[in-house]
Structures are given as C-alpha cells and as structure tokens.
Amino acid sequence: MSDILLQLSGVHTHIGPYHILQGVDLSVQRGQLTMLLGRNGAGKSTTLRTIMGLWHASAGSITLDQTSITHMSTADIAVQGITYVPENMGIFSDLSVRENMLLAARSGPIDQQRLDWIFSLFPALQQFWQKPAGKLSGGQKQMVAISRAIIEKRHLYMFDEPSKGLAPVMVNSMISALRELKKEGASILLVEQNLAVAQALGDQVAVMDSGKILHHGSMQELTDNPELQQQLLGLNLDLNLGLNVGSATGAHA
C-alpha cells in the first residue's frame, strides 16, 4: 500500500475565463496532516473545491488511494471517503444541530460511541443539540461544522480555514479536536492563514502562489528556517497569537 493517499498531478482549473490552478502537484500522506499555506488568492480554496469535484479540473489527474476521482461527481467523491468543510462551514441553518449531525452520518444512525467522543472534544455541543444551527455564534457553528465532518471515519478530511474569525479559546478547542483526530490515524488536508495553527498541527506543508505549489516538505523544515518562511510567505512563523498551541513537535506526540 502506498504511503500517499491523495495525489494531484499537473492539475489545472479554469473558472470561466480565469485560469486559477496552473499545474498543481500535491500529495497527502496517510495518517498525516498536510497544511496548505499561501497568500489570499493563491488558489488554496480552489484546490480543495477541485479535489471535491465542485469545480472540475481542466487538465491533470487526481487520485485517492490510487483510484482516479478526476472526473467524478461531488456525490461520488464523497462516497469514496472524502469529507470537506468549506470556509462558509456548509451547515444547514434551518435545521437543529442534531438534524445536521444526522444528515452527516451517511451510513445510518449516529454511532453513540463516536458521538460521545465528539462531545468530549466539544462539550458545549450538547448544550445546543436541539437548537437551530443558524442561531449559533460563529464559533459554535464552526464546532458543528467540524463535528459533522468527523461524525464518521473518512479516508480524508479537508478543512478550509477553520480558525478564521474565531476567538483564541475556540481556536484552541479546534486544535485539540484536530489533534485527537490525528491520533486516530486520520489523513487531513488543512488550508489555514493562522500560522500558529499551522505550526502546531502540521506534519507536512505545501505553499501555494499564483495557482502553483512552490514548496512541499515537512512542517518542521519550514518552522526551523526563517529565511525559507520569508521567501515563501513574506513573514515568519515565530508569532505569539495568544493561543495555547504548543510546538509542532508537541503536536505530533
């Protein structure tokens, strides 16, 4: 069995007249969390949406576990075992939290043991279990979105900027949840602008700019190299954002 779960090779994506992805080569290894970093407009969200079949690649190939998903529909890609939390969270506002979770449990009734595990990650989830999801705060909605994504085990979990707009205490809860997911051996592709989150969680990192991958390597390599950070991102990862994130090495423990 290959160590690579997801592989993008020479992927191009056009949206109308715009050529967004311009030959993306990206891999996600089994059981690891791969960070996808880059400036706004670099093509990160388009990469996730192309993997999910929401936009179709105009050239190149995408394989999951050595099976081509390049031309599959979004529904068929989901059946292959990929779950995706978009930047807008993708929850059903008019439904209760419970109903949102029931819809996410594709294989049947919610597994109670799995649900209890999620409640241990997000204890507040039980407090608004019967409330309409649209009435929740931004942090609570993100809690629901992540919980929906992990209610069943998947081959690959993809999250698009899950910490965006969240208070530090909520970001810490999210980091803890993703660390627990990693302990399960999950494979995760995470788009982030919060570099403290990237440093805390990442095993591998890919840096995008102008629709291309400029760098792919270990998160530790990028963390330890301020010159590389400056070259690729125009800044460095030695940031104090008020988060209790620990170190990248600690995140792997």
Side-chain angles (χ1 to χ4, degrees), residues 6 126 135 154 221:
L6 179 78
Q126 289 179 283
K135 301 292 186 181
R154 313 288 190 187
E221 175 190 6

Side-chain angles (χ1 to χ4, degrees), residues 121-139:
L121 301 178
F122 299 116
L125 195 69
Q126 289 179 283
Q127 298 175 16
F128 43 82
W129 187 241
Q130 299 294 347
K131 291 184 179 180
K135 301 292 186 181
L136 305 180
S137 70

Side-chain angles (χ1 to χ4, degrees), residues 36 40 51 57 65 79 85 87 123 129 142 161 168-169 194 224 242:
L36 186 55
N40 286 332
I51 293 167
D65 207 9
V79 169
V85 178
E87 190 177 346
W129 187 241
Q142 190 63 276
E161 297 198 41
V169 65
N194 188 323
D224 291 344

Side-chain angles (χ1 to χ4, degrees), residues 71-187:
H71 303 295
M72 285 187 183
S73 68
T74 298
D76 288 339
I77 290 171
V79 169
Q80 294 297 314
I82 299 181
T83 190
Y84 167 55
V85 178
E87 190 177 346
N88 65 5
M89 304 181 199
I91 62 176
F92 297 97
S93 296
D94 294 335
L95 300 181
S96 70
V97 172
R98 173 182 173 273
E99 289 166 335
N100 267 272
M101 297 291 283
L102 284 170
L103 285 175
R106 298 170 57 94
S107 64
I110 295 176
D111 178 83
Q112 189 60 48
Q113 185 175 357
R114 185 79 172 175
L115 184 59
D116 289 342
W117 174 69
I118 290 174
F119 285 155
S120 74
L121 301 178
F122 299 116
L125 195 69
Q126 289 179 283
Q127 298 175 16
F128 43 82
W129 187 241
Q130 299 294 347
K131 291 184 179 180
K135 301 292 186 181
L136 305 180
S137 70
Q140 291 168 343
K141 288 177 181 176
Q142 190 63 276
M143 198 181 301
V144 174
I146 293 173
S147 298
R148 290 181 77 246
I150 66 177
I151 190 61
E152 291 188 346
K153 290 186 178 182
R154 313 288 190 187
H155 291 307
L156 176 66
Y157 302 84
M158 300 196 303
F159 302 93
D160 193 352
E161 297 198 41
S163 72
K164 186 175 181 179
L166 299 185
V169 65
M170 290 302 303
V171 176
N172 285 329
S173 294
M174 183 204 72
I175 289 171
S176 296
L178 292 181
R179 280 178 173 162
E180 288 299 315
L181 197 60
K182 285 178 62 176
K183 287 179 182 178
E184 280 197 333
S187 305

